[in-house]
Amino acid sequence: MTSVAKLVRSIPLNGFRFATDAVTIEAASPAARLSIRATKRGVTSLSKSLGLTLPADPSKSSKKAGRHALWLGPDEWLVVDEKLAAEDLIPKRASREFSVVDVSHRNTAFIVSGDDAATALNAGCPRNLSLKAFPVGACSRTLFGKAEIILYRTGRTVFRVECWRSFAPYVRDLLCEGAKDVRN
Amino acid sequence: MLLIHCPYCEDDRPELEFANAGQAHVVRPSHMSEMSDEDFEGMFFIRDNPKGVNLERWRHIHGCGRFFNAVRHTVTDKFLKVYRAGEPRPTDAELAELLK
Ligand SMILES: [Zn+2]
């Protein structure tokens, strides 16, 4: 008789939370993530099967019922779904017009929120995070200290920070230092 | 920090997001085995190192990931022009105009 090993998903820094008066940093809940490369035709068919449009313009995102599509490059997107598993999102039929890779477990994410969230992020991120330069819905691959992140502004004072899971402790520590450095 | 304009992101981004990727417009040979050693050396190893206007490849590695070309002044470090990969090399007249 053979036994089948059952894999249990472990979430880096599961349940992590740190808060000051002005900034809250939390580990985001588990999510399904797809790394997508696609041609123009691929975008059309994927937008249909995913039920939301893959944005064509730089740094733009789209969302629908807990599912987000983030523009990363001219033919590259990250799709994050907070409810479904990646298997439920991947198109059933393969195509030469796109590639879809399940990276749900490669990344983990933090939610950074509060009046001084942008200031805390700027401790390690060199980008202009004013609402004019980086409005709600803006997203981009960038750097946070030495770690590459994907930054996504989901609200005026709310950011999602996606990073590779092996970088999570580093990103957490630098975020906390940034939050502590913020003084009203 | 230097701000570099990415022609794909259509935005000014901090230099930390970019990596220099050497001289632009180096034409790779279609029949490398038929080249003389001297020609190969020139294509493979020898690069311009001007004091002044330089045509360079850059990659927005911590951004959209794309390669593009830039005209940079090596003394002032000023980016005079950026353009997408595949677009033609600016003419000498255009380069002179950029320096004005
Ligand atoms: Zn770019």
Side-chain angles (χ1 to χ4, degrees):
Chain A
M1 218 177 104
T2 54
S3 64
V4 179
K6 249 205 153 164
L7 295 176
V8 179
R9 182 174 187 177
S10 72
I11 310 298
L13 315 174
N14 200 11
F16 171 77
R17 190 174 188 280
F18 175 86
T20 67
D21 291 347
V23 188
T24 303
I25 301 155
E26 290 166 287
S29 47
R33 298 174 177 89
L34 301 178
S35 168
I36 291 174
R37 304 293 299 260
T39 63
K40 274 212 170 74
R41 274 157 82 188
V43 168
T44 310
S45 74
L46 281 173
S47 295
K48 223 166 154 191
S49 75
L50 287 166
L52 87 171
T53 312
L54 298 179
D57 293 329
S59 305
K60 293 281 191 295
S61 65
S62 59
K63 64 171 178 177
K64 203 172 179 185
R67 188 173 303 172
H68 308 259
L70 281 55
W71 186 98
L72 295 183
D75 64 355
E76 186 182 3
W77 292 265
L78 176 75
V79 168
V80 178
D81 191 296
E82 293 160 334
K83 296 194 191 85
L84 291 179
E87 300 89 270
D88 303 322
L89 297 173
I90 293 173
K92 297 285 170 276
R93 211 180 300 168
S95 163
R96 284 160 63 175
E97 305 291 339
F98 57 74
S99 88
V100 176
V101 180
D102 177 2
V103 294
S104 308
H105 298 227
R106 184 193 72 181
N107 285 20
T108 191
F110 294 93
I111 307 297
V112 183
S113 59
D115 289 343
D116 284 322
T119 313
L121 280 162
N122 276 142
C125 178
R127 291 284 289 275
N128 179 353
L129 299 179
S130 68
L131 275 163
K132 193 163 172 272
F134 203 81
V136 176
C139 59
S140 173
R141 194 152 38 207
T142 184
L143 284 169
F144 185 67
K146 298 282 181 188
E148 189 176 276
I149 60 164
I150 292 167
L151 190 61
Y152 175 33
R153 189 176 215 145
T154 54
R156 285 179 63 89
T157 59
V158 188
F159 295 84
R160 183 181 181 94
V161 178
E162 289 267 335
C163 67
W164 285 18
R165 63 184 292 146
S166 55
F167 283 86
Y170 170 86
V171 171
R172 172 202 60 198
D173 291 350
L174 192 53
L175 277 173
C176 291
E177 288 305 316
K180 281 188 257 175
D181 282 347
V182 173
R183 286 286 171 266
N184 300 327
Chain B
M1 189 179 298
L2 213 57
L3 291 175
I4 300 173
H5 188 87
C6 173
Y8 293 96
C9 293
E10 297 165 6
D11 194 15
D12 293 339
R13 297 292 175 84
E15 61 174 304
L16 291 178
E17 291 185 2
F18 296 85
N20 183 288
Q23 187 178 324
H25 304 294
V26 175
V27 180
R28 268 69 184 172
S30 47
H31 299 286
M32 202 179 284
S33 57
E34 291 164 22
M35 285 177 100
S36 70
D37 287 353
E38 288 72 26
D39 286 349
F40 182 84
E41 184 205 16
M43 181 279 295
F44 203 74
F45 294 111
I46 307 301
R47 293 291 180 262
D48 294 341
N49 186 22
K51 182 179 181 182
V53 171
N54 200 20
L55 298 157
E56 299 169 331
R57 276 193 328 154
W58 282 78
R59 188 177 181 201
H60 194 188
I61 187 163
H62 299 298
C64 64
R66 287 300 162 126
F67 284 92
F68 60 93
N69 292 325
V71 182
R72 186 176 65 95
H73 197 287
T74 59
V75 178
T76 60
D77 222 6
K78 195 173 175 196
F79 280 73
L80 302 168
K81 181 188 167 83
V82 293
Y83 50 106
R84 293 183 176 203
E87 287 178 18
R89 178 193 189 282
T91 62
D92 289 344
E94 281 168 337
L95 292 177
E97 190 63 32
L98 289 172
L99 274 171
K100 274 182 192 161

